[in-house]
Amino acid sequence: MSSHTLIAPDTEAIVTGAPLSRRRRQLRKAGESYGFLAPTLLLLLVLMIVPIVMVIGYSFQDRAVMGASSGFVGLANYVEVLSDPGFWKATGNTLYFTGVSVAAHLVIGLTFAMLLNSTLIGVVPRAIFRALYVLPWLFTAAVIAVLWRMLLAPNGIINFLLTTDVEWLASPQLALGTVTFINIWAGYPFFMVSLLAGLQGIPGELNEAATVDGANGVQRFWNVTIPQLRPIIVSLLLLDFIWTSQQFALIWMTTGGGPIDVTEVLSTFTYKLAFAQYDFAVAATSAVLVLLMSMVLAVLYVRHQKARD
């Protein structure tokens, strides 16, 4: 009996002390993790969360920012924006610009990725082509805009080669197609590099088995390559749609949304409301609507990523 009474307190201390020390270690590790994340979270709060909340607040006011006093107007700004023909024209231009760009990015990027992954060209030519194909991705939007404005000028190299004097960026019939082409040229390397990595990750046994089963090149492409690349393709399409729909710098530095409103997209439409008409309340409303559209795409992307995992 005495031996049990001597051992019991130590045993109880060991049993109760171990979980406590383990909890302390877990709390300490959690505190260290949040400590490392704190600077980034603070930056996100100051540079993203606070401005978004302020813009949402402005969208329910009149004379926001510029007025001496502003009042709550409810959904009046949203009604004004949604009844503005210019907003819907910008939305249509954005859908055309984004849809055509994303589709072309996929087709061109996949074509070049398959070419670089094939054995049709040697190692040295493949390295040269890879450097040339990636080159547009290295330029900033400002450099791309200046470069193509020079190339497409009435006395530029493009008109010289085509023996014409077309004003590509000033023509109401050609301006939207021209800036879309420029964006396609600037953005396809992202798809090419990502899809090339995906192609190199496809096991060779799958193509060999399909060949043994009598599948030709087209059948192997549709039944082996595309199914293996489908998760990457869907992710790329969603990401590119989000990024392209918010393109501003390229359009602003090439056409400024003109001529008239032919190349006006939602980003330039919102910018002009704020810094040309100084109507920050309506501009904030337009920005919130763009944010909601982007959030829908972002949710789809996150759900797709979770499904992949």
Side-chain angles (χ1 to χ4, degrees):
M1 290 292 292
S2 60
S3 61
H4 285 289
T5 56
L6 291 173
I7 295 173
D10 295 335
T11 306
E12 184 179 357
I14 293 173
V15 171
T16 58
L20 288 175
S21 61
R22 190 179 302 115
R23 292 193 197 99
R24 292 193 190 97
R25 288 196 299 270
Q26 292 174 348
L27 291 174
R28 188 181 299 111
K29 289 182 179 179
E32 291 175 355
S33 301
Y34 285 112
F36 286 121
L37 288 174
T40 302
L41 294 176
L42 181 61
L43 284 175
L44 287 175
L45 177 65
V46 174
L47 300 179
M48 291 187 61
I49 305 302
V50 172
I52 289 175
V53 173
M54 291 176 63
V55 168
I56 294 174
Y58 291 155
S59 68
F60 294 102
Q61 302 175 12
D62 62 342
R63 300 186 303 275
V65 180
M66 299 298 294
S69 61
S70 59
F72 180 77
V73 294
L75 299 176
N77 291 330
Y78 288 89
V79 174
E80 179 179 349
V81 171
L82 293 174
S83 61
D84 186 352
F87 174 81
W88 294 110
K89 179 65 179 294
T91 302
N93 291 341
T94 302
L95 291 176
Y96 173 88
F97 176 79
T98 303
V100 174
S101 295
V102 171
H105 286 163
L106 174 61
V107 174
I108 297 174
L110 181 58
T111 301
F112 285 162
M114 294 188 66
L115 177 63
L116 293 175
N117 193 55
S118 69
T119 57
L120 298 177
I121 55 178
V123 176
V124 176
R126 188 183 307 171
I128 295 174
F129 288 145
R130 186 175 300 179
L132 292 176
Y133 292 155
V134 175
L135 193 60
W137 204 17
L138 303 179
F139 298 142
T140 64
V143 173
I144 293 171
V146 172
L147 174 65
W148 279 99
R149 285 183 62 180
M150 295 173 62
L151 292 174
L152 296 171
N155 57 348
I157 186 64
I158 301 297
N159 281 344
F160 174 78
L161 294 175
L162 298 176
T163 62
T164 183
D165 59 352
V166 175
E167 296 198 13
W168 300 93
L169 295 172
S171 170
Q173 293 77 28
L174 300 174
L176 182 58
T178 302
V179 295
T180 304
F181 171 80
I182 297 173
N183 189 67
I184 292 170
W185 178 85
Y188 79 83
F190 172 67
F191 274 74
M192 184 193 72
V193 172
S194 301
L195 293 173
L196 179 59
L199 287 170
Q200 293 175 346
I202 297 177
E205 294 82 3
L206 295 178
N207 283 305
E208 293 174 2
T211 303
V212 171
D213 290 339
N216 57 32
V218 176
Q219 291 171 330
R220 291 197 303 272
F221 174 76
W222 287 109
N223 296 292
V224 177
T225 303
I226 292 299
Q228 291 294 314
L229 292 178
R230 184 176 290 116
I232 300 176
I233 289 175
V234 174
S235 298
L236 292 175
L237 289 176
L238 290 173
L239 279 176
D240 196 35
F241 207 96
I242 294 172
W243 294 339
T244 307
S245 63
Q246 299 177 12
Q247 178 66 263
F248 172 79
L250 180 63
I251 295 177
W252 186 256
M253 298 186 69
T254 51
T255 64
I260 312 173
D261 57 356
V262 172
T263 61
E264 192 85 278
V265 292
L266 289 172
S267 57
T268 58
F269 175 80
T270 304
Y271 181 86
K272 289 179 180 178
L273 283 174
F275 299 104
Q277 302 179 24
Y278 297 102
D279 194 342
F280 288 95
V282 178
T285 305
S286 178
V288 171
L289 293 174
V290 174
L291 175 65
L292 292 176
M293 298 176 194
S294 301
M295 289 297 295
V296 172
L297 296 173
V299 169
L300 292 176
Y301 175 75
V302 171
R303 292 184 62 181
H304 171 71
Q305 293 299 106
K306 288 184 177 180
R308 284 184 61 186
D309 298 338

